[in-house]
Amino acid sequence: MFLGWMASSSLLCMVHASSRMEVDENPEQLFRRTVAQWRSQRNVWIPWMEFTQEILHRFDDAAAADKRLELVGALEEGILAVERATMNEGENGIRDAAISQLYAAYGKTLMELNPNECLDLAMDPHTLLIGAETLATAATRQIQGQGDEFELLTNDLCVENAENALRNAVTLDATNSVAEQLLETITGANSDNAVHKRKPKEFVAELFDSFADTFDEKLLDGLGYKVPKLVGDVAKHLLQQQQQQQQQDHSSGAKYSAVLDAGCGTGLAGRFLRPLIATPSNTNSQDDGGVMIGVDASQKMLDIAAKCTTHSGCGLKQNNNDGIEINANGETDMALYDNLLVLDLEEMTVENTLGSMDAFRNTNEEQGGFDLIVAADVLVYFGNLETLLATFAKVSRPGASLVFSCERATQDEAPLGWRLLSSGRFAHTKLHAVETASQFGYELLSYQEIVPRMEKGEEVRGHLFGFRLATTMRHPTAEGQHKNGEL
C-alpha cells in the first residue's frame, strides 16, 4: 500500500523523475496521458501517483493564478475519472491509497488558494466545489446591492471543501499521515477524532428510519442475515458457563435478570435473547422476573420492535393482535421487550435505561446494572470502540456478559484497528476489539470468525466476541485512554 503522497522512498523518486520527462505537457495533456497509461494497465496505480506528484510540484512552482487554477482543475478531473471508473468495485487497498493521494493533493491546493482564486474556481461550471452555486448567487446579489454575505462565503468555501477532501483522503487510507496533518491544521483537532469516528447519531437515525419498514425482509430473506441467532447462541453459552460456576460454588443458577439489546433495531436479536431471561413466578406480575430493554437511535425501528411479542413478530410471522394475550396452548403471550428507548448508545447510563423500570428504579452504577449486553451488528457504525465499550462497562454489573459482532479487518488493512469500508460501515481488527474491551475490565471468553450476511453475492467477513466483566472493577472512562490498535 502506498503510504502517502509526501512519503520519501526510492519508488517515489523514480515516479517523480519519470513524470518530469514530459516537460512540455500542459495539465490537460498530463491528465490524458495518465488516463491512457492507467487504462492500459488497469490494476497498476503508479500513473495516478505520478500525476499527483507532478501536479503538486507544478502548483508549488506556479505564480500566476490562472496556472494554479488550471492545476486544481486537473486534480478535479483525476478524482472524477477514478471515482467514476471504480465506483462499483469491491475493496482494494492499493486503489484506495492512490485515490487518497488525489484527495489529499486536492485538499492541499484548495487550502492555499486566496479568496479571489477560490471565487474564480467556484465560477467554473465544472468545479467539484460544494457550495459553488451558493457563492455565485451571493456574488450576483451583492452586485445588485441585495446582500453582503459574499465575502464570508468566499473565505470559507475553499477551506470547507479542503476539509471534505482531506476527510476523504484519511478515510480511504488511514496511513496517509500528511492528509491527517493537513486536516488537523484546518480542524484544530486530531484527525483520529475528526475522521475515524462513529457516524453522527442523526445520520444513523435518519438512515434506519428510511428503511425500517423493509429492514427485516431485506436482511433475513435477501442477505441471509445470521447475526441475531449467532449472538443469541453465544449469550446462551456464556450463561451456561456461569451456571456451571454457580453450581460449583453452591449458589443458585439463575438466568439473566437485566438484558440490554444495544442498537436493537426491529428486535431481531431480542427473539433469541428472551428465552435466556428469568421468567416471573407469577404470570400476572413481572416483579420477580427479568427484563429486556432495547435501545436504538431510530424511533421507526423501535415502533416495529414494540409490536413484537413472545409468539409473533421480530423474525416470526406477525399475527393481528398487539399487547399481551393467552394463546391457544394457554401460554402467556407477552411483549418481547419490557421497554424500548430512543437513546444514543454512548449516552446511556443505568439511570436512563434500567431506571425506567420500577423494579430497578433505585439501581445505580455502583450497585448494579445489566448482567448481559448484546450489540448485534451495531459496532459497524463506530470507528474507535473506546467510548462505546466504556459505556457498556459503566452500565453493567460486576461479572456481566457482553456479546457483540463486528465486520472483520486484518491489521494490514486497518493499522488503527478499524477502517471505514466502501459500504459506509466500519470493520475492526480482533486486536482492537479485545484490547479495548480489556482496558475496561472485560475478559475474552468466546471468539469466532463468522459470515454475518451476503453482500453483492459475496460473503461478508465478520467476527463474534463474548466477554465477561471483572467481578471487582471500577469503571474507567474512555477519556484520556491510550488508543488501542495503533500498530
Side-chain angles (χ1 to χ4, degrees):
M1 178 179 290
F2 300 131
L3 297 182
W5 48 266
M6 292 289 286
S8 57
S9 68
S10 57
L11 173 62
L12 277 181
C13 291
M14 290 187 294
V15 165
H16 186 65
S18 66
S19 67
R20 296 293 292 166
M21 293 180 183
E22 304 289 343
V23 294
D24 296 329
E25 286 181 317
N26 62 38
E28 178 67 20
Q29 291 170 332
L30 174 63
F31 167 72
R32 293 184 181 278
R33 177 170 64 84
T34 300
V35 171
Q37 290 177 339
W38 176 56
R39 285 177 176 171
S40 66
Q41 294 179 303
R42 181 59 181 275
N43 293 325
V44 176
W45 291 91
I46 288 180
W48 287 112
M49 192 177 185
E50 294 177 345
F51 173 82
T52 303
Q53 289 291 310
E54 179 65 14
I55 291 294
L56 284 173
H57 182 88
R58 294 188 187 186
F59 186 87
D60 290 340
D61 288 347
D66 58 339
K67 296 294 184 182
R68 283 157 57 96
L69 293 180
E70 191 177 8
L71 293 165
V72 175
L75 285 172
E76 291 184 331
E77 289 292 335
I79 290 170
L80 277 175
V82 175
E83 290 281 22
R84 285 171 176 169
T86 63
M87 63 184 302
N88 293 321
E89 294 183 359
E91 299 299 322
N92 184 325
I94 297 177
R95 175 205 63 204
D96 290 349
I99 302 175
S100 172
Q101 293 175 26
L102 280 167
Y103 273 114
Y106 184 50
K108 179 180 184 295
T109 56
L110 290 180
M111 289 174 65
E112 297 183 12
L113 296 181
N114 62 45
N116 288 332
E117 290 173 322
C118 185
L119 173 60
D120 288 342
L121 180 62
M123 294 304 174
D124 183 341
H126 303 295
T127 185
L128 294 183
L129 290 181
I130 299 171
E133 291 183 1
T134 301
L135 183 62
T137 301
T140 302
R141 285 172 51 82
Q142 185 153 321
I143 292 173
Q144 296 172 347
Q146 298 177 354
D148 58 0
E149 70 273 24
F150 170 68
E151 284 190 17
L152 180 62
L153 289 173
T154 302
N155 292 335
D156 292 343
L157 183 67
C158 280
V159 175
E160 290 176 353
N161 277 271
E163 180 180 344
N164 288 335
L166 293 168
R167 287 180 185 274
N168 286 341
V170 180
T171 296
L172 284 163
D173 181 7
T175 68
N176 194 333
S177 59
V178 176
E180 289 189 355
Q181 293 167 7
L182 291 170
L183 181 59
E184 186 174 345
T185 299
I186 294 176
T187 64
N190 184 278
S191 62
D192 174 44
N193 295 323
V195 179
H196 296 292
K197 63 180 183 179
R198 59 171 300 193
K199 293 181 178 297
K201 59 185 178 182
E202 294 81 7
F203 168 82
V204 176
E206 183 176 347
L207 172 68
F208 282 99
D209 278 349
S210 67
F211 62 88
D213 292 338
T214 59
F215 184 75
D216 291 6
E217 180 182 353
K218 288 181 178 178
L219 276 179
L220 297 177
D221 297 336
L223 301 178
Y225 189 52
K226 302 174 182 178
V227 173
K229 183 179 186 306
L230 292 174
V231 297
D233 289 343
V234 173
K236 182 178 180 180
H237 174 68
L238 295 179
L239 180 63
Q240 290 171 340
Q241 284 185 335
Q242 189 174 14
Q243 289 171 337
Q244 291 173 1
Q245 182 62 45
Q246 289 172 336
Q247 290 171 1
Q248 293 175 4
D249 296 339
H250 304 289
S251 58
S252 60
K255 292 186 175 183
Y256 294 118
S257 62
V259 174
L260 171 66
D261 189 356
C264 64
T266 59
L268 293 176
R271 171 65 55 205
F272 298 94
L273 301 177
R274 191 77 218 189
L276 308 178
I277 300 173
T279 56
S281 56
N282 184 343
T283 57
N284 295 318
S285 172
Q286 282 287 116
D287 290 344
D288 60 348
V291 298
M292 180 165 66
I293 295 176
V295 172
D296 202 273
S298 169
Q299 181 62 62
K300 289 187 177 180
M301 289 284 193
L302 294 179
D303 290 343
I304 294 174
K307 299 177 182 179
C308 301
T309 72
T310 50
H311 293 96
S312 66
C314 290
L316 296 182
K317 192 172 182 179
Q318 185 74 38
N319 63 20
N320 295 322
N321 298 310
D322 295 331
I324 300 174
E325 64 178 55
I326 304 298
N327 68 12
N329 296 324
E331 299 171 333
T332 303
D333 190 14
M334 305 182 67
L336 193 65
Y337 290 89
D338 297 284
N339 203 6
L340 293 163
L341 304 169
V342 179
L343 276 176
D344 183 278
L345 295 185
E346 292 181 343
E347 297 173 359
M348 295 186 301
T349 64
V350 171
E351 183 178 7
N352 66 16
T353 53
L354 274 176
S356 64
M357 306 299 299
D358 290 340
F360 294 86
R361 196 171 298 281
N362 295 323
T363 302
N364 59 51
E365 292 180 1
E366 296 298 325
Q367 297 173 341
F370 293 98
D371 56 358
L372 171 65
I373 295 179
V374 167
D377 209 24
V378 173
L379 275 61
V380 295
Y381 300 104
F382 296 78
N384 192 324
L385 300 179
E386 283 190 352
T387 302
L388 182 63
L389 296 187
T391 303
F392 286 168
K394 284 186 65 176
V395 300
S396 296
R397 64 185 64 172
S401 297
L402 170 64
V403 180
F404 62 77
S405 64
C406 303
E407 292 194 17
R408 178 164 44 93
T410 66
Q411 291 177 191
D412 287 340
E413 293 168 336
L416 293 175
W418 63 93
R419 179 173 185 265
L420 186 64
L421 305 175
S422 60
S423 62
R425 299 158 68 94
F426 286 97
H428 298 83
T429 65
K430 179 183 179 182
L431 179 65
H432 177 67
V434 173
E435 286 196 348
T436 306
S438 66
Q439 179 179 326
F440 302 110
Y442 285 106
E443 177 187 2
L444 181 67
L445 298 182
S446 173
Y447 175 81
Q448 56 182 300
E449 295 183 356
I450 63 171
V451 178
R453 68 185 187 285
M454 303 296 291
E455 191 170 280
K456 298 179 181 178
E458 297 183 357
E459 294 182 343
V460 172
R461 296 183 303 165
H463 40 184
L464 182 60
F465 300 82
F467 294 93
R468 180 150 297 139
L469 189 63
T471 55
T472 55
M473 179 70 187
R474 287 191 65 188
H475 303 310
T477 63
E479 186 175 348
Q481 296 288 341
H482 174 72
K483 294 180 177 63
N484 292 288
E486 294 187 16
L487 305 176

